[in-house]
Amino acid sequence: LKNSIIVMNSIIIGSGRSSLEYKLGDKIDSFDNIIRFKGFETQYKKFSENLGEKITHLYCNTSKIAINSFYNLYKNDFFEKEFNLNKFTMTVFHKDFLKFKYYIELTKIQKKTDLFDFTNPITVVNRMREITDVNIENVNYTSGFHAIISCLYNNIGTDNETYIHGFDAIDKNYKHNNNFSHYYEETKTGISEHHNIGYEKKIIEYLIKNNFLKTLV
């Protein structure tokens, strides 16, 4: 028998509230790779009809607040029990974080996981150049942008497709003005204060226009 090509399509679910206007839970859960962001795991039952329930990769930035929450769940095997999940991707934006005690403990127990991928802005820049020949600036990118580039890096040159959904702040196809609130909270986030969203949006638009990236709706 000839070897068949296994297609592994991926979807990255952002935290834009526009995603709650679509009942796409079953469609999202049908993807091979489903990348979520920290916060979904404790809130998903509220909107599973809209966003599904499955996770194959959980993406978490390394703010102390996020890691405190992540660590308390992780050490009690919450992710394995709730989602049968043992793959995580983390981003490290500042070298000082390497001194953070929970980061050190997480790296010590990473034998419980299949993957810890600690990346930084330089990695994103290099991957972006390799994927698209676009020489982007080295700035403090959002976790969402990190996830998109990491996923594209694995899929470009294959039959695998990469989709995004719920990226209100940077995806022109989601025309909702929600002050960049997350689906799991009502307060305004600081995403536009700490990151260059306008610059990221231009790159995302380029990726969509040139068929590197697709949107779910």
Side-chain angles (χ1 to χ4, degrees), residues 5-10 32-33 131 150-162 211-214:
I5 298 175
I6 300 176
V7 177
M8 298 284 286
N9 291 329
S10 303
D32 302 294
N33 295 317
I131 292 168
S150 296
C151 194
L152 284 176
Y153 185 75
N154 292 320
N155 287 346
I156 292 296
T158 71
D159 291 328
N160 303 332
E161 295 182 325
T162 304
N211 297 316
F212 289 107
L213 193 63
K214 297 184 177 181

Side-chain angles (χ1 to χ4, degrees), residues 14-20 166-169 176-192:
S15 54
R17 291 183 63 83
S18 69
S19 57
L20 299 185
F167 277 74
D168 291 5
H176 303 263
N177 181 11
N178 57 51
N179 292 322
F180 310 139
S181 296
H182 290 295
Y183 47 69
Y184 49 84
E185 59 189 23
E186 296 297 330
T187 58
K188 182 179 179 180
T189 72
I191 187 172
S192 59

Side-chain angles (χ1 to χ4, degrees), residues 67-78:
I67 289 297
N68 278 335
S69 174
F70 180 89
Y71 177 80
N72 289 331
L73 294 174
Y74 183 78
K75 70 179 181 179
N76 293 314
D77 295 327
F78 170 82

Side-chain angles (χ1 to χ4, degrees), residues 26-44:
D26 290 340
K27 185 173 183 178
I28 290 170
D29 281 347
S30 70
F31 277 77
D32 302 294
N33 295 317
I34 305 169
I35 297 93
R36 312 273 189 180
F37 294 92
K38 182 73 183 72
F40 176 86
E41 74 283 354
T42 56
Q43 302 286 333
Y44 73 94

Side-chain angles (χ1 to χ4, degrees), residues 82-139:
E82 190 79 6
F83 301 103
N84 191 29
L85 174 68
N86 58 4
K87 292 186 179 181
F88 301 94
T89 304
M90 289 180 158
T91 59
V92 174
F93 297 113
H94 305 289
K95 62 181 181 180
D96 290 343
F97 186 82
L98 300 178
K99 303 174 184 177
F100 188 41
K101 66 177 182 178
Y102 284 165
Y103 168 89
I104 295 172
E105 290 190 42
L106 282 170
T107 57
K108 285 181 178 179
I109 59 177
Q110 65 175 314
K111 63 180 182 296
K112 295 174 58 179
T113 73
D114 288 334
L115 172 66
F116 266 91
D117 181 14
F118 298 96
T119 60
N120 56 50
I122 287 293
T123 303
V124 174
V125 170
N126 290 339
R127 286 181 174 180
M128 190 67 190
R129 186 183 298 114
E130 186 175 342
I131 292 168
T132 66
D133 291 329
V134 174
N135 190 18
I136 62 176
E137 299 175 11
N138 181 13
V139 298

